[in-house]
Amino acid sequence: GNSVTQMEGPVTLSEEAFLTINCTYTATGYPSLFWYVQYPGEGLQLLLKATKADDKGSNKGFEATYRKETTSFHLEKGSVQVSDSAVYFCALSDYGGSQGNLIFGKGTKLSVKP
Amino acid sequence: KAGVTQTPRYLIKTRGQQVTLSCSPISGHRSVSWYQQTPGQGLQFLFEYFSETQRNKGNFPGRFSGRQFSNSRSEMNVSTLELGDSALYLCASSLGTTGLSYEQYFGPGTRLTVT
């Protein structure tokens, strides 16, 4: 079945460091891919998305490219800030699937130190 | 436009009781999905409703049920609560249920603690 695997956390970085959170997926067909962010005490917010191979999603300095050949959608940011501290979830669309319309990875907790 | 709202935000119940959680989707959104989030299992899909009909269901026992009203508001009910039901319950709404990229907008969640 379809699934998402993302790197285990927690990840601790200093402010202005480069961030990469790895995400790979297994899917039949051509799903859309998403990154969601969850700040403490809040629900999930869509950070960025890509709907087809080679698409690059970007938002708030974060980027991720849909790589079909490596089945990956790694999240990157060139210079993180303390305010980026949150849990990040990679997800793929699986409309009508038994796991719901979105299949999530386990989440990666990011802590950015000043 | 107001976001997805969930009530209550926090809830404490004892084992054996039942609970009802409410979700109001974004205006115009007709699909509502429910997820359970726990530290051990992560985000797990409960069910999805569209136009008052359950369209999809995850692998949860029958103690978990839901419904959707004509105004798209949705409720989920958990009967005979168990300690393992302690979790953050998230509701998400979207315009519809098909298409390549219908975005799901999440509410802040209801934190349920079962003692």
Side-chain angles (χ1 to χ4, degrees):
Chain A
N2 296 348
S3 65
V4 173
T5 302
Q6 63 180 103
M7 62 187 285
E8 299 278 337
V11 174
T12 302
L13 296 173
S14 297
E15 207 165 21
E16 299 184 1
F18 184 84
L19 168 71
T20 299
I21 300 178
N22 290 338
C23 172
T24 58
Y25 67 90
T26 302
T28 55
Y30 303 97
S32 295
L33 300 173
F34 307 84
W35 276 101
Y36 280 84
V37 59
Q38 186 176 33
Y39 298 101
E42 299 184 12
L44 275 67
Q45 300 176 25
L46 178 64
L47 182 60
L48 53 83
K49 68 178 181 182
T51 58
K52 60 183 187 296
D54 299 324
D55 263 3
K56 177 186 281 188
S58 61
N59 186 25
K60 299 181 182 179
F62 292 89
E63 293 182 339
T65 301
Y66 190 162
R67 301 284 188 202
K68 185 169 175 290
E69 63 276 12
T70 54
T71 61
S72 65
F73 193 54
H74 304 322
L75 182 68
E76 295 182 336
K77 186 175 185 184
S79 177
V80 293
Q81 306 299 312
V82 173
S83 57
D84 294 326
S85 298
V87 181
Y88 292 82
F89 293 91
C90 184
L92 66 81
S93 62
D94 188 23
Y95 296 106
S98 64
Q99 298 179 68
N101 290 344
L102 282 175
I103 297 176
F104 289 91
K106 293 290 190 183
T108 302
K109 183 175 182 179
L110 170 66
S111 295
V112 180
K113 306 299 184 186
Chain B
K1 187 183 275 191
V4 178
T5 57
Q6 293 186 244
T7 56
R9 291 292 310 277
Y10 302 91
L11 206 48
I12 300 175
K13 293 285 189 179
T14 56
R15 274 183 300 175
Q17 287 186 313
Q18 74 154 12
V19 67
T20 299
L21 312 182
S22 180
C23 171
S24 292
I26 291 171
S27 178
H29 285 194
R30 298 171 65 190
S31 170
V32 173
S33 297
W34 289 89
Y35 296 84
Q36 181 196 64
Q37 185 179 22
T38 59
Q41 299 298 318
L43 283 151
Q44 292 185 286
F45 170 71
L46 282 156
F47 26 66
E48 177 193 15
Y49 287 86
F50 179 78
S51 293
E52 302 178 65
T53 301
Q54 187 180 89
R55 292 290 296 263
N56 200 357
K57 189 177 190 303
N59 296 322
F60 277 81
R63 299 185 297 106
F64 292 81
S65 63
R67 59 178 176 169
Q68 186 181 34
F69 301 95
S70 58
N71 61 358
S72 294
R73 190 176 71 85
S74 176
E75 290 181 348
M76 67 164 281
N77 183 277
V78 187
S79 63
T80 320
L81 284 166
E82 299 176 0
L83 295 179
D85 297 332
S86 295
L88 180 67
Y89 290 88
L90 293 165
C91 165
S93 77
S94 62
L95 282 169
T97 62
T98 60
L100 292 177
S101 60
Y102 270 113
E103 294 178 16
Q104 294 206 345
Y105 295 82
F106 284 80
T110 294
R111 172 74 63 185
L112 171 65
T113 301
V114 182
T115 62

